[in-house]
Amino acid sequence: MQGNFWEQVGGRATFEKLVRKFYEGIATDEVLLPMYPEQPDLEGAIQRLTGFLEQYWGGPSTYSEQRGHPRLRMRHMPFKVNPDARDRWLTHMRAALDSLELSPLHDATLWAYLDRAAQAMVNTFDD
């Protein structure tokens, strides 16, 4: 395989498909949807997550140019991210990732990162 991960999986189109599918699940989730102040319009969140993921995986650095350092934990601190929220997030992301039908290696690589990131965002164990 040549190129970085972002190129190998299809670039922006693949990450945008992943994120749009993910937000289809978020749009119906009574726990997670309220965490998005712009909802029901999720387009801003879609663009931010797409930009972040594509930059992380070797795509353009547009996210940092527009928003600075990701500071993921800090950006999520205003929200109650408990194990239930984490699990819901992972459920929607797993469905989105499954829709891509990536190779087993690419799927496992991306999933391992997403799982670690979700675990790191937990900031409370309160209900």
Side-chain angles (χ1 to χ4, degrees), residues 6-8 15 26 28 30 33 48 66 74 95 99 108 110:
W6 181 77
E7 294 166 331
Q8 291 171 11
F15 283 94
I26 295 298
T28 64
E30 68 276 0
L33 185 60
R48 288 187 297 273
Q66 293 175 347
M74 184 198 79
S99 77
L110 184 50

Side-chain angles (χ1 to χ4, degrees), residues 12 38 82 111 116 121:
R12 181 166 181 90
E38 301 164 343
N82 61 17
W111 181 248
R116 283 191 316 274
M121 293 303 108

Side-chain angles (χ1 to χ4, degrees), residues 70-87:
R71 299 185 306 252
L72 292 180
R73 250 184 95 72
M74 184 198 79
R75 291 184 196 269
H76 289 82
M77 271 309 197
F79 307 104
K80 182 172 80 173
V81 183
N82 61 17
D84 179 49
R86 174 205 58 212
D87 293 347

Side-chain angles (χ1 to χ4, degrees), residues 47-123:
Q47 293 307 314
R48 288 187 297 273
L49 183 54
T50 300
F52 170 77
L53 288 173
E54 71 172 349
Q55 177 178 300
Y56 181 88
W57 291 101
S61 59
T62 310
Y63 179 90
S64 288
E65 292 164 11
Q66 293 175 347
R67 300 191 42 89
H69 189 282
R71 299 185 306 252
L72 292 180
R73 250 184 95 72
M74 184 198 79
R75 291 184 196 269
H76 289 82
M77 271 309 197
F79 307 104
K80 182 172 80 173
V81 183
N82 61 17
D84 179 49
R86 174 205 58 212
D87 293 347
R88 288 167 176 269
W89 191 94
L90 285 168
T91 295
H92 298 303
M93 192 54 82
R94 183 69 253 177
L97 184 53
D98 288 346
S99 77
L100 297 180
E101 299 179 350
L102 297 176
S103 74
L105 176 60
H106 288 117
D107 183 284
T109 301
L110 184 50
W111 181 248
Y113 167 76
L114 294 167
D115 184 60
R116 283 191 316 274
Q119 305 299 335
M121 293 303 108
V122 172
N123 58 26

